[in-house]
Amino acid sequence: MTAALTAKAGPNPAMRLIKTYPMELILTVLIVILIFTAPGFASLRNLLNVLRTGSMLGIIAFGMTAVIIAGEIDLSVGAGAALAGCIAAWFAGALDDSLGGLVAVLIGVVVALGVGFALGYSVGKFRHWFNVPSFICTLALFTALRGAANLITGGFPLATFPPGFDFFGGGYLFGIPFPVYIFALTFAGMHFLMNYTRFGRAVYAVGGNMEAARLSGIDIWWVKAMTLGLTGVMTALSGVLIASQIGSGTGTTATGMELDVIAAVIIGGTSLFGGKGRIWGTLIGVLFLGCISNGMTLLNVSEYWQYVVRGGIILGAVLLNQVLERVR
Amino acid sequence: MLDALSPHHRTGGLLEFDAVTKVYGQTAALSQFSHRFLPGKVHALMGKNGSGKSTLVKILAGVILPTQGTVRVNGADAAFHTPHDAFGAGVVTVHQELSLIPSLSIGENIFLGRLPMARKFGLHMVDWPGLHQAAAGLLQEMGLDLDSHRLVSSLSVGQQQVVEIAKAMSFNPSVLLLDEPTSALAAREVHQLFTLVRRLRESGVTILYITHRMNELFEIADTCTVLRDGQFAGSIEMTQASPALIVEMMFGETAKAKRPARKAIDRSGSPILAVTGLTRHGIFADVSFEVHRGEILGIAGLLGAGRTEVMRAIFGADPIDAGTVMLNGKKVGSPTPKQMKEAGLGYTPENRKEAGLVQVLSTHDNLCLASLAHIAPSGIVTRAREQGFVQRQISDLGIKVPDPMLPVSSLSGGNQQKVVIGNWLNTAPKVMFFDEPSRGVDVQAKRQIFDIIWDQAEHGLAAIFVSTELEEVLEVADRILVMRQGRIVAEVDPTATTLAELYRLCMEGPTT
């Protein structure tokens, strides 16, 4: 048996490495190439910038991974992030006089996180009660939340944040951008949740076979709604960080972010059919997307070509996973 | 194309089998079957599960080719490589599972894949008026009062079955094969179906009719042909037949099932599970029974008798309309799977692929699926913590698994079934429902699964065992309830009954 298994996994250790860690290897190769070809890629300043940009995306992507493993999808995260920033900015402006800037913005952030959770959880409940697919529900939110964000700001950036608030999105702690800490914490938290808790195991089961999970006594609708709610919170968190970084609540920010988030999850090997995927894979996907965008910009590749290349990468990653599935 | 729409019938379909044999690997599903089905009659085809009936159906439907022998239609040799070949030779099969598309109209369903086309405005377009006209003609000719424009989704199951037959008739068959057409129908709908079948017989079509319901035979069939263990067991005119005679032909000399010595069950205490007056409208009604500690209760019945439905309802997987469930002396309000699991009930579903296992997850994960609350009361799970539970089931149940971390889909059917059972044994249940635990597993695994059930019962588990194979129910259970059309109609002692007798109880219609 063992002989048969090793034979299947590849005759030599190198082949086995390629089959087990394909995206990790591709990312390493990409980084090595960029170090030698892209001017300034290897500078600390640039790498920290890549990490900062990747953090905003990654925080949401970890939540999205759970949603996709549970067999659902959330298309509203870009608009949700914009809305969260605008809510925080609105509270900062409205309560500034009575409570002071920092308390006001803090209330705004808490409200934004709460709204994020409620929206995500409701999507799950809509799926349960009215059998509306999460694709449709979040497609509706995708446009509605964008509208709501602009209604709050009146169409103009709402620059109401108190001084010092820009630290969260734009500041450095011990030389590392602050969002990177949140990114790392989210990664650790989600990795733990998905691998070492009952809830995480239930997410895999629900996405892998809803009926089997239900008959095993798992509350499938609660599990699905919770993954969506969790992603709502992370979306809001990321939205607040983005608003903090650019210094205002802006209705048009994070446009198209949902597609990058989903792309990162898919590049990381998570199956859109549900039941399969890893938080670690999503981390690789986020870093991969970050490096390739940054690298192309440094290499002066036109923005239009960047779109084309990113599309190709998504397709390529899915094909690679399908091929590996067969040879494994 | 137009030919398909014109209502002319071929008549007189003489269907002959000459030493037809179908071999799968080592086993012959059908061996040396020879018979002549005379034209213009309704021929019933009987046989218990595994007798070769479905093989015969598949050969006639063009799904498989016989290994040896020839089939002749009206004297001409016929080898059906595809369903299309069968249609071409005038042999049309109506399968047991309905194959209509609910969102399309009756007319479109009838002519699906061969929609009539017409040239309009210079374009080649679907000829909708022509289609519905042809469909209406067909329906009218068959004496059916149905509007061809109606969506199939708005029809009752009985009406859908009738449309299915209308679709078959649109191929102008000389031989029509009906595979258990009444299994999903209510009594009134059965009556309508029979009217239609008689009408078709009068028009000269040869009908092969497969059923498990004995009383239907005497109502509709002219002859009855019986298969046993893949062989021709006899054929008689219905005027000379009796239920006893047919059952004898189906079973031949039957040996008594061999059972291990079982402890006497103590039924003096209060039952661990008691169900009273359980009803789900249209599915089952007034089901009451009790199970005691250490007892294996068998539920026998034909497909569609309501066995699985009752178990699913008690487990909370489906709603119930009336009745009470008492588990461990406590009344359960409206059960949910989660609540019943916590109360000590386990359920291994009949189709492990769709409902029993998460195929993409590992054997390890599947063995812990139902018992996570038990393994990790705090909510935090580690592989090490799960390991003990996984290893215990693998060794206790003899699950052959090269690596528990590989997807469960890589295991054989028997081992997958053991994983389903192990998943539930990990919850330390007091009552377990085994729904078709032996379906699609090899003989050796089947024995092992029965041993597991007996062994668990010895240790105090109350079990309910359901199988389509009556031999198995007779072998495994301590007591058997017979279900027919959603009701419990008899209780039998397996040591004091025969297979033929049990079969008769399951099969008998409500009126006879």
Side-chain angles (χ1 to χ4, degrees):
Chain A
M1 264 308 161
T2 2
L5 274 175
T6 27
K8 231 186 186 174
N12 56 57
M15 268 313 277
R16 219 161 119 182
L17 202 68
I18 290 171
K19 280 176 187 165
T20 325
Y21 303 106
M23 281 318 293
E24 287 85 342
L25 286 171
I26 292 174
L27 178 63
T28 314
V29 170
L30 176 74
I31 290 174
V32 170
I33 292 175
L34 287 177
I35 286 172
F36 287 107
T37 57
F41 178 79
S43 76
L44 184 66
R45 201 184 135 86
N46 182 59
L47 289 178
L48 288 180
N49 254 330
V50 170
L51 271 181
R52 186 202 300 273
T53 318
S55 295
M56 312 295 188
L57 191 78
I59 291 167
I60 307 177
F62 295 136
M64 185 72 84
T65 310
V67 168
I68 293 179
I69 291 172
E72 302 294 323
I73 191 89
D74 188 345
L75 300 178
S76 70
V77 294
L83 178 70
C86 294
I87 289 175
W90 185 85
F91 273 88
L95 301 180
D96 185 23
D97 295 340
S98 47
L99 296 168
L102 230 52
V103 175
V105 79
L106 203 67
I107 290 174
V109 170
V110 169
V111 170
L113 296 183
V115 168
F117 178 81
L119 284 170
Y121 192 81
S122 313
V123 168
K125 280 295 156 189
F126 255 68
R127 171 95 167 77
H128 178 194
W129 290 330
F130 308 110
N131 201 18
V132 181
S134 55
F135 183 93
I136 301 297
C137 249
T138 58
L139 184 65
L141 286 180
F142 165 82
T143 102
L145 297 187
R146 184 69 67 189
N150 278 305
L151 283 174
I152 289 174
T153 62
F156 296 101
L158 214 56
T160 50
F161 294 129
F165 184 68
D166 63 339
F167 167 78
F168 296 102
Y172 290 81
L173 185 64
F174 307 122
I176 292 171
F178 184 74
V180 178
Y181 291 97
I182 307 273
F183 178 55
L185 274 177
T186 320
F187 168 75
M190 284 305 290
H191 181 77
F192 178 78
L193 185 75
M194 292 302 284
N195 292 300
Y196 298 102
T197 69
R198 236 153 69 191
F199 176 77
R201 307 317 302 159
V203 172
Y204 281 96
V206 166
N209 186 342
M210 232 163 97
E211 184 62 4
R214 185 174 82 100
L215 291 180
S216 285
I218 291 169
D219 193 342
I220 53 173
W221 298 114
W222 182 79
V223 169
K224 281 179 183 251
M226 280 308 283
T227 61
L228 285 156
L230 210 59
T231 302
V233 171
M234 292 176 178
T235 301
L237 189 61
S238 175
V240 168
L241 292 176
I242 294 171
S244 154
Q245 189 193 5
I246 59 180
S248 66
T250 312
T252 51
T253 189
T255 310
M257 196 181 189
E258 52 284 323
L259 294 183
D260 282 339
V261 167
I262 294 168
V265 175
I266 290 169
I267 291 170
T270 296
S271 161
L272 269 177
F273 296 110
K276 262 190 232 174
R278 289 177 312 154
I279 296 294
W280 168 256
T282 298
L283 176 66
I284 302 293
V286 169
L287 295 178
F288 187 82
L289 270 187
C291 288
I292 205 113
S293 302
N294 179 257
M296 284 193 294
T297 308
L298 292 176
L299 286 167
N300 273 326
V301 177
S302 99
E303 198 189 342
Y304 308 131
W305 271 112
Q306 292 197 21
Y307 283 117
V308 176
V309 169
R310 275 198 293 194
I313 287 167
I314 296 170
L315 199 62
V318 172
L319 285 177
L320 180 71
N321 274 319
Q322 294 287 354
V323 170
L324 286 174
E325 192 79 358
R326 259 172 242 165
V327 298
R328 252 176 211 149
Chain B
M1 277 299 157
L2 278 174
D3 183 50
L5 301 182
S6 67
H8 73 86
H9 287 300
R10 291 174 249 227
T11 45
L14 172 65
L15 180 65
E16 290 170 284
F17 288 85
D18 188 5
V20 174
T21 299
K22 177 69 193 179
V23 180
Y24 289 107
Q26 299 283 309
T27 50
L30 194 64
S31 82
Q32 298 287 319
F33 178 74
S34 299
H35 190 59
R36 282 159 63 91
F37 292 98
L38 296 176
K41 289 190 172 192
V42 177
H43 304 278
L45 196 59
M46 296 284 283
K48 59 191 176 88
N49 290 313
S51 61
K53 267 180 317 178
S54 19
T55 307
L56 202 72
V57 172
K58 282 185 200 157
I59 289 172
L60 286 179
V63 178
I64 54 170
L65 279 171
T67 318
Q68 273 164 21
T70 37
V71 178
R72 276 189 290 274
V73 180
N74 282 331
D77 280 12
F80 306 147
H81 295 267
T82 64
H84 202 80
D85 290 351
F87 297 159
V91 178
V92 177
T93 304
V94 176
H95 291 282
Q96 196 177 351
E97 305 82 26
L98 295 176
S99 62
L100 302 176
I101 298 172
S103 55
L104 301 183
S105 69
I106 293 176
E108 192 171 359
N109 264 292
I110 290 176
F111 294 112
L112 201 68
R114 52 198 171 112
L115 299 178
M117 305 299 276
R119 191 163 276 281
K120 260 187 223 159
F121 316 115
L123 292 169
H124 204 50
M125 299 165 54
V126 175
D127 178 15
W128 290 111
L131 179 144
H132 286 296
Q133 210 181 346
L138 187 72
L139 292 168
Q140 199 185 9
E141 192 190 352
M142 291 170 68
L144 301 171
D145 184 25
L146 285 171
D147 179 2
S148 158
H149 292 84
R150 255 178 90 176
L151 292 187
V152 165
S153 56
S154 71
L155 302 177
S156 71
V157 181
Q159 287 172 318
Q160 291 187 27
Q161 186 71 62
V162 158
V163 170
E164 195 84 58
I165 293 174
K167 180 179 175 178
M169 290 310 295
S170 73
F171 288 96
N172 305 322
S174 50
V175 176
L176 181 66
L177 186 74
L178 301 175
D179 189 3
E180 294 208 44
T182 54
S183 59
L185 302 193
R188 194 177 46 82
E189 294 176 320
V190 171
H191 189 72
Q192 287 170 349
L193 184 83
F194 284 177
T195 312
L196 176 59
V197 171
R198 287 194 193 98
R199 217 182 154 107
L200 295 178
R201 172 175 59 188
E202 275 159 32
S203 72
V205 181
T206 307
I207 295 163
L208 250 65
Y209 190 94
I210 294 178
T211 185
H212 271 297
R213 295 185 181 171
M214 185 66 86
N215 62 331
E216 287 183 357
L217 292 191
F218 291 90
E219 211 177 314
I220 193 74
D222 300 309
T223 77
C224 176
T225 303
V226 179
L227 280 167
R228 188 169 71 222
D229 302 327
Q231 289 175 328
F232 177 77
S235 181
I236 44 169
E237 295 286 319
M238 286 314 290
T239 47
Q240 270 130 48
S242 70
L245 189 61
I246 291 172
V247 168
E248 200 191 299
M249 282 163 74
M250 286 169 69
F251 288 86
E253 303 270 316
T254 50
K256 261 240 151 73
K258 52 242 162 279
R259 295 158 47 78
R262 299 261 297 127
K263 263 197 310 221
I265 289 130
D266 177 18
R267 291 201 179 87
S268 60
S270 59
I272 191 143
L273 175 71
V275 175
T276 327
L278 208 64
T279 299
R280 188 172 174 214
H281 298 315
I283 313 284
F284 55 81
D286 202 20
V287 171
S288 305
F289 64 85
E290 294 179 347
V291 199
H292 289 263
R293 216 180 110 81
E295 184 179 29
I296 303 173
L297 177 68
I299 301 185
L302 301 176
L303 220 65
R307 310 158 309 188
T308 295
E309 290 78 359
V310 166
M311 289 209 282
R312 284 178 59 94
I314 297 172
F315 186 62
D318 292 332
I320 44 177
D321 294 318
T324 53
V325 176
M326 299 266 286
L327 192 58
N328 233 350
K330 265 186 284 185
K331 195 179 159 219
V332 186
S334 47
T336 64
K338 192 172 174 215
Q339 192 188 352
M340 295 312 274
K341 179 174 79 176
E342 280 156 13
L345 183 63
Y347 173 57
T348 69
E350 61 175 334
N351 38 2
R352 59 180 165 268
K353 224 181 193 140
E354 291 79 26
L357 295 170
V358 184
Q359 295 282 335
V360 294
L361 294 185
S362 64
T363 303
H364 180 109
D365 284 339
N366 271 289
L367 277 170
C368 301
L369 214 56
S371 54
L372 278 177
H374 197 66
I375 296 172
S378 67
I380 293 173
V381 192
T382 59
R383 292 278 179 225
R385 203 176 190 120
E386 292 173 325
Q387 200 62 36
F389 287 83
V390 170
Q391 281 310 323
R392 202 184 82 199
Q393 296 308 337
I394 288 179
S395 68
D396 282 8
L397 306 185
I399 303 172
K400 285 216 179 57
V401 50
D403 178 357
M405 298 316 288
L406 288 179
V408 76
S409 54
S410 62
L411 300 188
S412 70
N415 280 309
Q416 287 196 18
Q417 188 62 43
K418 288 182 192 168
V419 173
V420 177
I421 295 172
N423 175 30
W424 279 103
L425 291 181
N426 267 336
T427 66
K430 296 188 186 74
V431 184
M432 271 276 271
F433 294 171
F434 294 95
D435 197 354
E436 301 276 1
S438 59
R439 181 184 285 176
V441 310
D442 62 63
V443 181
Q444 200 200 352
K446 191 184 280 191
R447 308 281 1 139
Q448 291 169 341
I449 288 167
F450 293 170
D451 283 336
I452 292 165
I453 297 173
W454 284 319
D455 185 57
Q456 289 293 327
E458 289 292 308
H459 289 93
L461 181 78
I464 296 186
F465 176 86
V466 163
S467 171
T468 316
E469 311 290 330
L470 297 178
E471 295 92 323
E472 295 179 359
V473 185
L474 217 47
E475 182 184 351
V476 175
D478 298 319
R479 185 158 64 95
I480 300 173
L481 300 175
V482 179
M483 280 195 79
R484 211 162 55 206
Q485 304 195 350
R487 283 172 189 276
I488 293 176
V489 291
E491 179 178 330
V492 292
D493 174 359
T495 55
T497 192
T498 62
L499 184 56
E501 172 62 16
L502 185 61
Y503 199 85
R504 195 185 60 74
L505 281 170
C506 291
M507 207 160 45
E508 238 172 27
T511 47
T512 44

